[in-house]
Amino acid sequence: QKEVEQNSGPLSVPEGAIASLNCTYSDRGSQSFFWYRQYSGKSPELIMFIYSNGDKEDGRFTAQLNKASQYVSLLIRDSQPSDSATYLCAVNIYFGNEKLTFGTGTRLTIIP
Amino acid sequence: GAVVSQHPSWVICKSGTSVKIECRSLDFQATTMFWYRQFPKQSLMLMATSNEGSKATYEQGVEKDKFLINHASLTLSTLTVTSAHPEDSSFYICSATNEGDSYEQYFGPGTRLTVT
């Protein structure tokens, strides 16, 4: 079983709609969770991180964490064409260790 | 703040030669730097973790004699791909963590290596 799993997509969402990206992880002791956006040919850029159960909002982005279900999601409201990218979920599995384990990424396309 | 640079941004080399890639934290001291490799349409795979002044910790399956990592200062780490072969062609990305903010990794822009 992969440590961090994401649906590879592609996920197509109309402009202005909500895009929902999901990620599951296998290690119940995982501590912190990150969402990165990666445009083609570029390196990842951090969108959000979340440590505690519940929702965390930042502008059009909301991260949701459910540790009991070992599930983290990213919602993008009012999707824009510029949101078209691959979204990587990353998990910090070992407490006190900065190492991140990445999922394979979900390719998101916003349709104008 | 928290800017990481990489040099070169792309490099083409002949099979059998060595290539050095630099990773610098420009406005902070990086306690730890990470080196990743990413093949087309795949995710980031961690190659090694390096801390200033100590030997790098390599992930399983990564040849430490082929991928030499030196972390000489709190702002500079280098990755040398020795005796490069076409299968080493990939996108190499470094990241760094800030001494005061250890959970967030700041990524460099990446280096595209092509071995002919």
Side-chain angles (χ1 to χ4, degrees):
Chain A
Q1 182 187 5
K2 292 182 182 176
E3 292 177 318
V4 181
E5 292 204 54
Q6 295 179 254
N7 187 323
S8 61
L11 175 66
S12 296
V13 172
E15 182 176 357
I18 296 175
S20 177
L21 304 161
N22 304 315
C23 174
T24 58
Y25 58 95
S26 60
D27 195 310
R28 191 170 286 280
S30 297
Q31 298 293 318
S32 48
F33 309 85
F34 301 79
W35 283 101
Y36 286 86
R37 176 175 63 198
Q38 186 177 27
Y39 293 111
S40 181
K42 303 293 185 182
S43 67
E45 53 181 324
L46 181 68
I47 298 175
M48 292 188 69
F49 59 87
I50 186 168
Y51 300 145
S52 305
N53 273 328
D55 295 0
K56 180 181 178 184
E57 187 174 316
D58 183 0
R60 296 188 296 112
F61 299 95
T62 299
Q64 299 175 317
L65 175 61
N66 184 326
K67 289 188 176 181
S69 299
Q70 295 175 234
Y71 174 93
V72 58
S73 65
L74 179 70
L75 301 178
I76 306 174
R77 289 181 299 281
D78 187 23
S79 298
Q80 303 296 311
S82 59
D83 294 327
S84 297
T86 296
Y87 288 79
L88 300 168
C89 171
V91 176
N92 175 252
I93 293 177
Y94 305 106
F95 183 74
N97 185 320
E98 303 147 316
K99 180 173 151 180
L100 292 179
T101 300
F102 283 83
T104 52
T106 298
R107 188 154 55 91
L108 173 66
T109 300
I110 305 301
I111 304 167
Chain B
V3 177
V4 176
S5 71
Q6 276 184 248
H7 178 80
S9 55
W10 60 270
V11 58
I12 301 172
C13 71
K14 291 187 176 181
S15 189
T17 62
S18 296
V19 174
K20 181 185 283 189
I21 302 170
E22 290 186 351
C23 176
R24 293 182 185 273
S25 57
L26 297 186
D27 52 1
F28 66 99
Q29 293 191 323
T31 49
T32 305
M33 287 183 168
F34 301 86
W35 286 96
Y36 295 87
R37 180 167 53 182
Q38 187 177 34
F39 292 107
K41 299 191 185 303
Q42 295 187 24
S43 189
L44 276 72
M45 296 301 298
L46 180 66
M47 299 175 68
T49 303
S50 82
N51 293 288
E52 182 262 342
S54 60
K55 290 184 179 180
T57 301
Y58 290 82
E59 294 299 300
Q60 193 171 15
V62 177
E63 300 173 58
K64 61 181 179 181
D65 294 332
K66 180 171 180 62
F67 299 100
L68 302 178
I69 291 173
N70 184 280
H71 196 150
S73 74
L74 282 173
T75 59
L76 173 64
S77 176
T78 60
L79 167 68
T80 301
V81 182
T82 63
S83 187
H85 288 96
E87 57 266 30
D88 297 323
S89 299
S90 188
F91 192 42
Y92 291 86
I93 309 172
C94 73
S95 70
T97 54
N98 191 336
E99 199 168 17
D101 178 24
S102 61
Y103 288 111
E104 183 170 349
Q105 290 188 23
Y106 301 96
F107 283 85
T111 297
R112 175 86 49 198
L113 169 64
T114 302
V115 185
T116 61

